[in-house]
Short mmCIF file of all heavy atoms in Angstrom, two decimals:
data_model
loop_
_atom_site.label_atom_id
_atom_site.label_comp_id
_atom_site.label_asym_id
_atom_site.label_seq_id
_atom_site.Cartn_x
_atom_site.Cartn_y
_atom_site.Cartn_z
N LEU A 164 221.44 71.35 73.90
CA LEU A 164 221.45 70.46 72.74
C LEU A 164 220.29 70.77 71.79
O LEU A 164 220.49 70.87 70.58
CB LEU A 164 221.39 69.00 73.19
CG LEU A 164 221.39 67.95 72.09
CD1 LEU A 164 222.72 67.95 71.36
CD2 LEU A 164 221.08 66.60 72.67
N PHE A 165 219.08 70.94 72.34
CA PHE A 165 217.93 71.29 71.50
C PHE A 165 218.15 72.64 70.81
O PHE A 165 217.82 72.79 69.63
CB PHE A 165 216.64 71.35 72.33
CG PHE A 165 216.06 70.00 72.63
CD1 PHE A 165 215.39 69.80 73.82
CD2 PHE A 165 216.16 68.95 71.76
CE1 PHE A 165 214.84 68.57 74.13
CE2 PHE A 165 215.63 67.72 72.04
CZ PHE A 165 214.97 67.52 73.23
N SER A 166 218.70 73.61 71.51
CA SER A 166 218.96 74.92 70.90
C SER A 166 219.95 74.79 69.76
O SER A 166 219.78 75.40 68.70
CB SER A 166 219.51 75.88 71.96
OG SER A 166 218.59 76.05 72.99
N PHE A 167 221.00 73.99 69.96
CA PHE A 167 221.99 73.79 68.91
C PHE A 167 221.37 73.14 67.68
O PHE A 167 221.63 73.55 66.54
CB PHE A 167 223.14 72.92 69.44
CG PHE A 167 224.17 72.60 68.41
CD1 PHE A 167 225.06 73.56 67.97
CD2 PHE A 167 224.23 71.33 67.85
CE1 PHE A 167 226.00 73.26 67.00
CE2 PHE A 167 225.15 71.02 66.89
CZ PHE A 167 226.06 71.99 66.45
N VAL A 168 220.53 72.14 67.87
CA VAL A 168 219.88 71.46 66.75
C VAL A 168 218.96 72.42 65.99
O VAL A 168 218.95 72.43 64.75
CB VAL A 168 219.10 70.21 67.24
CG1 VAL A 168 218.19 69.66 66.17
CG2 VAL A 168 220.07 69.14 67.72
N ILE A 169 218.23 73.25 66.70
CA ILE A 169 217.33 74.22 66.05
C ILE A 169 218.13 75.24 65.25
O ILE A 169 217.78 75.57 64.10
CB ILE A 169 216.43 74.89 67.10
CG1 ILE A 169 215.41 73.88 67.62
CG2 ILE A 169 215.72 76.11 66.52
CD1 ILE A 169 214.62 74.37 68.81
N VAL A 170 219.22 75.76 65.82
CA VAL A 170 220.06 76.74 65.11
C VAL A 170 220.69 76.09 63.88
O VAL A 170 220.73 76.69 62.80
CB VAL A 170 221.12 77.32 66.06
CG1 VAL A 170 222.18 78.09 65.30
CG2 VAL A 170 220.46 78.21 67.11
N LEU A 171 221.18 74.86 64.02
CA LEU A 171 221.78 74.16 62.89
C LEU A 171 220.76 73.93 61.78
O LEU A 171 221.05 74.14 60.60
CB LEU A 171 222.37 72.83 63.36
CG LEU A 171 223.06 71.99 62.30
CD1 LEU A 171 224.32 72.70 61.81
CD2 LEU A 171 223.40 70.62 62.85
N PHE A 172 219.54 73.53 62.13
CA PHE A 172 218.48 73.32 61.14
C PHE A 172 218.20 74.60 60.38
O PHE A 172 218.10 74.60 59.15
CB PHE A 172 217.21 72.81 61.84
CG PHE A 172 216.02 72.79 60.93
CD1 PHE A 172 215.87 71.80 59.97
CD2 PHE A 172 215.04 73.77 61.02
CE1 PHE A 172 214.77 71.78 59.13
CE2 PHE A 172 213.94 73.77 60.19
CZ PHE A 172 213.81 72.76 59.24
N HIS A 173 218.06 75.71 61.09
CA HIS A 173 217.77 76.98 60.42
C HIS A 173 218.93 77.46 59.57
O HIS A 173 218.73 78.07 58.51
CB HIS A 173 217.34 78.04 61.44
CG HIS A 173 215.95 77.84 61.92
ND1 HIS A 173 215.64 77.06 63.02
CD2 HIS A 173 214.76 78.27 61.42
CE1 HIS A 173 214.33 77.05 63.18
NE2 HIS A 173 213.77 77.78 62.22
N ALA A 174 220.15 77.21 60.00
CA ALA A 174 221.32 77.58 59.18
C ALA A 174 221.32 76.79 57.88
O ALA A 174 221.58 77.35 56.80
CB ALA A 174 222.61 77.34 59.97
#
Side-chain angles (χ1 to χ4, degrees):
L164 180 67
F165 282 147
S166 300
F167 176 74
V168 168
I169 289 171
V170 168
L171 181 66
F172 170 76
H173 284 90

